[in-house]
């Protein structure tokens, strides 16, 4: 597992760089992290080059990878080089993928600048890109050399981004820690101690990943809300109803909460609590009935779907998850209807 440090970046970055020599260092940024985050670390970076890509999930593509690989080549980065991914989930997933495949693999570290990347995407070794519109369709597992988390970067985020990342924090509570779920949802985005929240979420994720790094079993519980959520995210990607990852996962958690009650014994009271808390934070998104079938079609591309079955990770109760639950299309349709019928 990677070294994960939650500390001031002004000390964790120089500490990491002092431990090892790299022949060249390239820093991957997008237009936002170049403007808002790079200045926070630049005086702690040795000579380096910059690789800038356009922000957003819509650019997590093979075309963007080609431009990253071209830049690494043009800048003469060799196998002893280091790529520093400075950004959110897209930069970490795609930068890691490019580093892990460039010259059969160079070292990379993640400096997550969003809540989503800090608590979820930057650790655990899942790397990849979207392909033909499907989320994370091409990729591999490889751990970064280190993940350097500094909650200071959260101050650079628009509220919508922070809220999006917060759905992964809620998910951690729902799948593994009921008290944490209540504690974080009571304070919502006004957490008095983001350090502690990030540390606890990272701890929950690490405990799961440590037991199943390649997602052959237990790690699937981290996908609660993601089977339907990814289907929805993919459906709206690149449209004017585009949803951020965590916004789609929030809807997915409500739909999969419904399935959890139907199939795994989640109590009605706990379902109602989950729905009222998530809807209170994310509101309700209009998803037309005509969107249901294409959303379900997308779900067959989910990596948990095998032999034509829509496998889900669901809740037995708040704080306890289970996985590999085969759900038929009719139940998924009912779950989407359930969301659709909720009061605004
Ligand atoms: N984002 C879920 C996982 O890393 O397994």
């Amino acid at each position: 597992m990677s070294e994960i440090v939650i500390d001031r970046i002004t000390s964790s970055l120089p500490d990491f760089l002092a431990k090892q020599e790299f022949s060249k260092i390239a820093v991957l940024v997008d237009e936002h992290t170049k403007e808002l985050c790079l200045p926070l670390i630049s005086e702690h970076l040795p000579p380096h080059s910059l690789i800038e890509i356009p922000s957003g999930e819509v650019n997590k593509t093979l075309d963007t990878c080609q431009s990253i690989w071209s830049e690494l080549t043009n800048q003469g980065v060799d196998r002893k080089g280091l790529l520093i991914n400075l950004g959110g989930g897209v930069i970490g997933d795609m930068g890691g993928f490019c580093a892990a495949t460039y010259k059969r693999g160079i070292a990379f570290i993640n400096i997550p600048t969003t809540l989503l990347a800090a608590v979820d995407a930057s650790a655990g070794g899942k790397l990849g890109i979207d392909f033909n519109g499907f989320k994370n369709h091409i990729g591999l597992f490889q751990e970064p050399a280190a993940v350097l988390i500094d909650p200071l970067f959260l101050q650079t985020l628009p509220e919508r981004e922070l809220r999006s990342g917060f759905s992964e924090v809620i998910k951690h509570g729902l799948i593994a820690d009921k008290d944490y779920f209540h504690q974080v949802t009571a304070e919502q985005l006004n957490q008095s101690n983001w350090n502690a929240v990030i540390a606890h979420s990272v701890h929950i994720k690490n405990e799961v990943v440590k037991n199943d790094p390649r997602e052959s079993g237990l790690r699937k519980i981290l996908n609660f809300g993601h089977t339907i959520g990814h289907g929805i995210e993919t459906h709206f990607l690149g449209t004017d109803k585009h949803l951020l990852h965590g916004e789609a996962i929030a809807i997915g958690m409500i739909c999969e909460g419904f399935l959890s009650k139907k199939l795994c014994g989640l109590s009605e009271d706990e379902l109602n609590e989950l729905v009222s808390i998530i809807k209170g934070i994310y509101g309700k998104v209009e998803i037309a009935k005509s969107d249901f079938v294409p959303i379900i079609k997308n779900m067959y591309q989910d990596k948990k779907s095998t032999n034509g079955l829509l496998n889900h990770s669901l809740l037995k109760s708040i704080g306890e998850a289970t996985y590999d639950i085969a759900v038929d299309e009719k139940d998924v349709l009912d779950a989407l209807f359930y969301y659709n019928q909720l009061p605004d």
Side-chain angles (χ1 to χ4, degrees):
M1 305 255 303
S2 330
E3 180 192 14
I4 302 179
V5 184
I6 304 174
D7 198 357
R8 296 277 82 123
I9 194 71
T10 47
S11 60
S12 60
L13 181 59
D15 286 353
F16 171 81
L17 292 170
K19 283 189 220 149
Q20 211 176 322
E21 286 250 322
F22 296 99
S23 54
K24 272 211 158 87
I25 295 177
V27 183
L28 183 65
V29 291
D30 62 28
E31 70 277 15
H32 303 302
T33 61
K34 182 179 173 190
E35 185 195 333
L36 300 170
C37 304
L38 189 59
L40 303 179
I41 63 168
S42 49
E43 86 182 64
H44 302 279
L45 281 170
H48 61 277
S49 55
L50 271 192
I51 302 178
E52 183 177 346
I53 58 170
S55 63
E57 187 72 33
V58 80
N59 294 304
K60 196 174 156 185
T61 60
L62 203 49
D63 278 349
T64 312
C65 290
Q66 290 198 17
S67 75
I68 296 170
W69 287 317
S70 297
E71 280 295 318
L72 290 168
T73 307
N74 296 341
Q75 293 170 10
V77 176
D78 63 24
R79 289 190 75 182
K80 293 255 156 56
L82 173 73
L83 183 67
I84 299 180
N85 297 318
L86 180 65
V90 172
I91 290 260
D93 286 6
M94 185 162 48
F97 175 71
C98 288
T101 47
Y102 176 74
K103 295 190 190 245
R104 297 205 187 90
I106 61 168
F108 65 98
I109 63 170
N110 291 335
I111 303 182
T113 59
T114 64
L115 180 59
L116 183 108
V119 296
D120 183 40
S122 67
K126 282 188 180 175
L127 311 175
I129 54 166
D130 303 340
F131 183 70
N132 285 354
F134 297 117
K135 286 271 304 170
N136 302 327
H137 201 62
I138 307 291
L140 69 156
F141 286 97
Q142 190 162 309
E143 291 273 1
V147 182
L148 309 181
I149 300 173
D150 184 343
L152 182 72
F153 289 113
L154 301 189
Q155 291 170 17
T156 67
L157 292 180
E159 188 171 311
R160 188 177 171 192
E161 271 291 346
L162 192 67
R163 187 178 298 115
S164 167
F166 193 59
S167 75
E168 297 287 356
V169 173
I170 295 174
K171 178 197 78 181
H172 288 141
L174 285 172
I175 61 169
D177 189 335
K178 185 174 177 163
D179 291 344
Y180 182 56
F181 171 73
H182 287 134
Q183 177 209 317
V184 292
T185 55
E187 292 188 41
Q188 301 197 1
L189 299 187
N190 304 312
Q191 299 295 323
S192 48
N193 188 346
W194 278 113
N195 271 55
V197 171
I198 292 171
H200 196 63
S201 267
V202 166
H203 171 75
I204 289 174
K205 176 163 185 179
N206 267 353
E207 286 300 300
V208 174
V209 172
K210 189 167 83 184
N211 282 300
D212 178 22
R214 295 285 169 134
E215 198 173 284
S216 46
L218 180 72
R219 183 166 178 172
K220 292 177 193 172
I221 67 169
L222 293 171
N223 291 314
F224 173 64
H226 283 60
T227 310
I228 296 180
H230 273 167
I232 293 169
E233 186 182 2
T234 300
H235 182 63
F236 292 118
L237 194 67
T239 72
D240 51 8
K241 286 188 76 179
H242 172 72
L243 294 169
L244 297 179
H245 175 73
E247 295 169 336
I249 296 318
I251 303 170
M253 290 195 289
I254 291 182
C255 295
E256 294 183 16
F258 170 87
L259 293 175
S260 299
K261 172 173 176 286
K262 181 154 191 186
L263 303 171
C264 294
L266 181 71
S267 71
E268 174 133 27
D269 283 354
E270 289 202 328
L271 173 62
N272 290 340
E273 184 187 4
L274 174 159
V275 171
S276 113
I277 287 177
I278 295 181
K279 209 157 65 68
I281 299 173
Y282 296 91
K284 194 182 150 207
V285 174
E286 273 320 305
I287 302 181
K289 294 188 177 112
S290 57
D291 293 324
F292 292 179
V293 169
I295 287 170
I296 293 177
K297 219 167 140 211
N298 291 338
M299 289 168 56
Y300 283 101
Q301 294 300 333
D302 183 273
K303 286 172 281 305
K304 291 185 301 313
S305 291
T306 48
N307 301 323
L309 292 173
L310 297 169
N311 292 324
H312 282 67
S313 303
L314 299 175
L315 302 179
K316 293 186 188 172
S317 62
I318 291 182
E320 190 185 0
T322 182
Y323 56 90
D324 281 346
I325 306 297
V327 179
D328 63 32
E329 278 194 27
K330 162 83 177 58
D331 283 340
V332 176
L333 263 179
D334 284 351
L336 289 165
F337 269 110
Y338 171 77
Y339 180 81
N340 184 270
Q341 307 285 302
L342 290 171
D344 285 328

